[in-house]
Amino acid sequence: MPEHSASGGGIRGGPPQGTETPRQLLPFSFFIDGQGSAITTGFKGVVDAPFNGVIVSGRLYLDQSGSIVVDVWKDTFANYPPTNADTITAGAELTISTDTDVEDLILAGWNKGFSRGDVFGFNVDSITTATWCYVSLWARRLG
């Protein structure tokens, strides 16, 4: 998990490298917990967007070497809950294949823009081995 420096000196182990400062990039994080058992497929929950922005990267972490595909859905609060029809990944879901972590800096085809109050949903399309998964979407704040 990214560590935020108490002195305001930046983020260690955090945002993708680039020209943005730590105040411009913020993570949306979601934890999928199998509670000691293997994670199952299906919808796992939501997180709200607290600002307007654009997603710039996505990361997945597993507790042990395994494989997982996580789809990200987005909808407005008025249309809650998000469904598969609200996918933003265009078939390029965040995917780990026989490893413990992955970072996608391209997010090819993704619908990356979002508005304050939008609801992001997380769906496990497939999984092997892992008992927890940490999902982190890094976004550039707009406005």
Side-chain angles (χ1 to χ4, degrees):
M1 185 173 345
E3 291 182 358
H4 295 272
S5 170
S7 67
I11 299 175
R12 296 185 309 257
Q17 299 300 310
T19 59
E20 293 88 1
T21 66
R23 290 189 180 142
Q24 292 172 312
L25 289 178
L26 298 166
F28 287 82
S29 300
F30 190 79
F31 189 74
I32 300 168
D33 190 359
Q35 299 179 334
S37 298
I39 296 170
T40 58
T41 58
F43 181 70
K44 299 303 175 187
V46 299
V47 64
D48 295 327
F51 55 85
N52 298 329
V54 176
I55 300 168
V56 297
S57 73
R59 291 179 176 175
L60 294 177
Y61 304 88
L62 296 177
D63 65 317
Q64 56 191 293
S65 184
S67 299
I68 190 168
V69 177
V70 177
D71 197 2
V72 181
W73 304 341
K74 179 190 67 131
D75 210 335
T76 63
F77 177 76
N79 289 332
Y80 177 85
T83 67
N84 190 50
D86 301 311
T87 185
I88 65 170
T89 62
E93 295 89 352
L94 293 172
T95 302
I96 296 177
S97 182
T98 317
D99 207 340
T100 58
D101 57 84
V102 70
E103 179 175 47
D104 186 342
L105 298 172
I106 305 297
L107 305 173
W110 280 41
N111 177 7
K112 300 174 194 176
F114 61 90
S115 299
R116 182 174 165 260
D118 281 349
V119 179
F120 286 91
F122 300 91
N123 189 79
V124 175
D125 289 350
S126 66
I127 179 72
T128 60
T129 311
T131 63
W132 62 255
C133 177
Y134 179 74
V135 183
S136 182
L137 299 177
W138 284 89
R140 180 181 309 113
R141 185 180 190 143
L142 301 176

